Amino acid sequence: MASDEAHLRHLMQASLDGDAAATHALLSALVPVLRRYYARRMSSADLEDLVQETLIAVHTRRASYDRTRAFGPWLFAVARYKMIDHFRRTRHEVSLDDLGDLLGDGGFEDAVSARLDVDAALQTLTPKQAATIRATKIDGLSIAETAARDNITEADVKVSVHRGLKALAKRLRQD
């Protein structure tokens, strides 16, 4: 997920710098992301039109993107406004009970935000602690697999994970 965010952000920044190939790659990469986003929130009848409208909005409003911020939340804000505009145009009736479903549970945007939080937290640790926590707790590798991959002992992996998690817990308590 973080690699998707990083890749999309890189393409957006290159697009802002005038790279036409990056603009084309960005818009192409956004098609399946937007299809999934809208498929969870509306019927498929207008989905493709809304995807195209959103791609146009991303292209025409790209100057409003802040390079220092994550790309995913900006993208999904544009998509959410496009969906609301679509419902206004079509006079689509939405009950208050369905409003939460319409606006979504966060999905990709929450996952991107959470991933960025995890990445930021791991950057506060030593590289060894961050790598062993990422391998064992996020990527799902075993202690033995992590040790073999990093050419360290299993005990070293266990100690690094333990100390890293302890340091993260201490920082969270302080915050």
Side-chain angles (χ1 to χ4, degrees), residues 7-84:
H7 179 67
L8 293 175
R9 185 176 182 187
H10 169 76
L11 289 174
M12 181 60 151
Q13 290 179 349
S15 175
L16 289 170
D17 291 336
D19 185 340
T23 301
H24 182 271
L26 173 67
L27 296 176
S28 296
L30 292 179
V31 170
V33 172
L34 291 170
R35 281 183 182 146
R36 282 190 307 271
Y37 177 81
Y38 289 128
R40 284 184 272 148
R41 291 163 174 82
M42 59 187 297
S43 69
S44 61
D46 300 320
L47 190 135
E48 288 302 318
D49 289 340
L50 204 47
V51 167
Q52 292 304 313
E53 286 179 33
T54 306
L55 291 174
I56 291 168
V58 166
H59 179 68
T60 59
R61 292 182 179 90
R62 66 181 180 221
S64 70
Y65 171 67
D66 179 354
R67 292 172 182 256
T68 64
R69 309 211 32 136
F71 177 73
W74 179 85
L75 169 68
F76 291 111
V78 171
R80 191 171 24 257
Y81 286 119
K82 281 292 159 189
M83 184 172 51
I84 291 167

